[in-house]
Amino acid sequence: MADFWLISVPLDKTSLTSVEKLKRTITKTHLGSCWKFSIPDLKVGILDSLVRVSDDLLKLDALTESLIKKTCQCLKEVMEPTGVKVQEHDLANGDHGTHQKSAATSPLKTYLASLRVDLMNRVTKFQWDKAKYPTALPLSTLTDIINKEISQVETELRSRATAYNSLKASLESLELNLNGNLQTRSLNDVLRKDDLVVSEYLTTLLVVVSREKYLRWEKSYESLSEFVVPRSSRKIFEDGDGGIFTVTLFKRAVCKFKAKAQESKFIVRDYSFDEEERKQQEIMKLSVHKKDQYGIFVRWLKVNFTQVFIAWIHLKALRVFVESVLRYGLPVNYQALLLETDRKRSKKLKEELSSLFVHLDPTASMKEVSCDIPGLCQQEYSSYICFHIGTSMLEISEPSTT
């Protein structure tokens, strides 16, 4: 997958010649693509203010990129490509008749592919949003606007994710109990009310018996209490571990029977049709609520991911402007370029850029350097200004086939 670099060079004669040579080289060698990146005229202010803004933008850049990754990761976790998620995704998008089509392709993959196309189009055709970020405002105010926007989304993401995960965990817990082992699973689908004797004097108990104890149960259950109804035991359900048997006895003997059964490693489980029905209704209620919240949460994630990404590009543009003034001086005279390259060719393109613009700072290298001047340091200092716009968060790791 390709990534983007936002670079800036001064508009001197040598640099302009190098830019034209860069464009020809990129086209000839297929190292990537190149676009002019338009940044409006912004208020410069004083040098001290620029240095402070540069430091603030550096921190805000890292915070914004982290939020973008968190939001995208949350999308991936919520839109996991399972059958249930496919159905919920269709419902979230108002589609009630294309489940078979959706099942063939992951909604997550489809969405991320279309999202990447949309975001890349916004980046390559970038236009400054003057309504949201008025260019007449000081750079520090524009930074504060973006910072407030990012902080609000981060707070709401944390709140919404916690609420959705809590709902999901509650539903999974109930489903696990009702579809769990013999001691907890629901029996309403295999047990009828007339299978249980309930009268003034008699009651029916449900007993969990492991497979290796079947014969022992049949031979001994009547002797666990003198008040057991003879030949009243019947197996109503079994799985790989064992079975559930009914046994009818007098109510006054229930406590003694349970104690004797426990001694023989037979487990008497409590059961109530009304309680199980209540649990089933609770599961249905939570399932409907989760599907509703799934749609609301996914739509919120999609909208806010895009908005935060757009804010991030404006932040990158701010950084280019500020660093260009700090690096190249006044009057403001620079050209910003957007480069797209495949990661396999990125090293070659960096070498080409370093060679073309070495005149801007002959001492610069692509290695990390120690710098004590605020606002002029980057992780990789080079003779030209360069900021990375990563898109790796839009990738989906393929499961291992080994």
Side-chain angles (χ1 to χ4, degrees), residues 323-371:
E323 300 303 327
S324 295
V325 175
L326 289 172
R327 180 87 73 92
Y328 307 139
L330 292 173
V332 178
N333 193 34
Y334 70 95
Q335 180 170 329
L337 297 172
L338 181 71
L339 303 178
E340 180 186 17
T341 184
D342 188 276
R343 291 171 194 167
K344 295 179 180 179
R345 299 181 175 89
S346 61
K347 183 178 180 181
K348 178 66 176 176
L349 182 57
K350 284 182 180 180
E351 292 173 352
E352 186 68 27
L353 287 168
S354 182
S355 173
L356 288 171
F357 299 107
V358 66
H359 65 278
L360 295 176
D361 187 351
T363 65
S365 68
M366 295 307 293
K367 297 180 179 179
E368 293 185 8
V369 296
S370 175
C371 179

Side-chain angles (χ1 to χ4, degrees), residues 179-218:
N179 298 290
N181 59 36
L182 295 174
Q183 298 180 46
T184 62
R185 80 175 309 278
S186 173
L187 297 174
N188 278 15
D189 55 338
V190 296
L191 195 63
R192 303 185 307 273
K193 286 193 175 183
D194 55 13
D195 289 328
L196 305 179
V197 176
V198 180
S199 68
E200 184 178 356
Y201 300 106
L202 296 175
T203 187
T204 299
L205 300 181
L206 301 180
V207 184
V208 178
V209 181
S210 59
R211 281 185 172 273
E212 64 271 15
K213 292 186 174 68
Y214 278 6
L215 184 59
R216 182 179 175 185
W217 166 258
E218 294 291 349

Side-chain angles (χ1 to χ4, degrees), residues 148-167:
K148 183 178 180 180
E149 181 181 0
I150 298 306
S151 297
Q152 287 178 340
V153 173
E154 184 176 38
T155 300
E156 192 169 355
L157 172 63
R158 191 182 304 113
S159 175
R160 286 177 177 268
T162 299
Y164 181 79
N165 288 332
S166 177
L167 174 61

Side-chain angles (χ1 to χ4, degrees), residues 42-43 57 60 128-129 132-148 318:
L42 302 171
K43 297 185 69 173
L57 287 172
L60 185 55
W128 185 273
D129 188 342
K132 198 170 186 178
Y133 311 108
T135 55
L137 294 177
L139 293 172
S140 58
T141 304
L142 292 175
T143 303
D144 289 340
I145 291 174
I146 297 177
N147 186 35
K148 183 178 180 180
L318 276 177

Side-chain angles (χ1 to χ4, degrees), residues 171-377:
L171 179 59
E172 289 176 349
S173 178
L174 279 174
E175 290 176 335
L176 182 62
N177 281 333
L178 289 185
N179 298 290
N181 59 36
L182 295 174
Q183 298 180 46
T184 62
R185 80 175 309 278
S186 173
L187 297 174
N188 278 15
D189 55 338
V190 296
L191 195 63
R192 303 185 307 273
K193 286 193 175 183
D194 55 13
D195 289 328
L196 305 179
V197 176
V198 180
S199 68
E200 184 178 356
Y201 300 106
L202 296 175
T203 187
T204 299
L205 300 181
L206 301 180
V207 184
V208 178
V209 181
S210 59
R211 281 185 172 273
E212 64 271 15
K213 292 186 174 68
Y214 278 6
L215 184 59
R216 182 179 175 185
W217 166 258
E218 294 291 349
K219 290 182 176 181
S220 66
Y221 79 89
E222 293 182 7
S223 63
L224 296 178
S225 171
E226 58 184 306
F227 295 103
V228 172
V229 176
R231 295 186 296 279
S232 62
S233 179
R234 184 172 67 86
K235 183 173 65 178
I236 60 168
F237 180 82
E238 71 175 341
D239 61 13
D241 298 322
I244 297 178
F245 292 77
T246 60
V247 59
T248 303
L249 66 160
F250 281 83
K251 289 182 177 180
R252 61 181 179 175
V254 168
C255 290
K256 181 181 178 181
F257 182 89
K258 285 184 176 180
K260 289 288 187 179
Q262 187 174 11
E263 292 176 4
S264 300
K265 307 298 182 184
F266 302 135
I267 302 172
V268 179
R269 59 167 288 181
D270 295 327
Y271 196 83
S272 166
F273 273 103
D274 293 339
E275 179 64 17
E276 294 302 312
E277 187 64 29
R278 186 194 66 77
K279 290 180 180 179
Q280 293 282 7
Q281 291 177 355
E282 181 67 14
I283 287 179
M284 291 178 62
K285 180 181 176 182
L286 285 177
S287 296
V288 172
H289 186 44
K290 178 173 172 284
K291 287 180 180 180
D292 291 340
Q293 292 305 306
Y294 172 87
I296 293 172
F297 191 29
V298 166
R299 285 191 291 272
W300 184 90
L301 287 168
K302 290 179 177 180
V303 169
N304 283 273
F305 179 88
T306 300
Q307 292 304 314
V308 172
F309 193 93
I310 293 173
W312 191 37
I313 303 306
H314 281 78
L315 190 154
K316 294 287 189 183
L318 276 177
R319 292 197 70 187
V320 168
F321 179 84
V322 171
E323 300 303 327
S324 295
V325 175
L326 289 172
R327 180 87 73 92
Y328 307 139
L330 292 173
V332 178
N333 193 34
Y334 70 95
Q335 180 170 329
L337 297 172
L338 181 71
L339 303 178
E340 180 186 17
T341 184
D342 188 276
R343 291 171 194 167
K344 295 179 180 179
R345 299 181 175 89
S346 61
K347 183 178 180 181
K348 178 66 176 176
L349 182 57
K350 284 182 180 180
E351 292 173 352
E352 186 68 27
L353 287 168
S354 182
S355 173
L356 288 171
F357 299 107
V358 66
H359 65 278
L360 295 176
D361 187 351
T363 65
S365 68
M366 295 307 293
K367 297 180 179 179
E368 293 185 8
V369 296
S370 175
C371 179
D372 297 325
I373 306 176
L376 295 182
C377 291

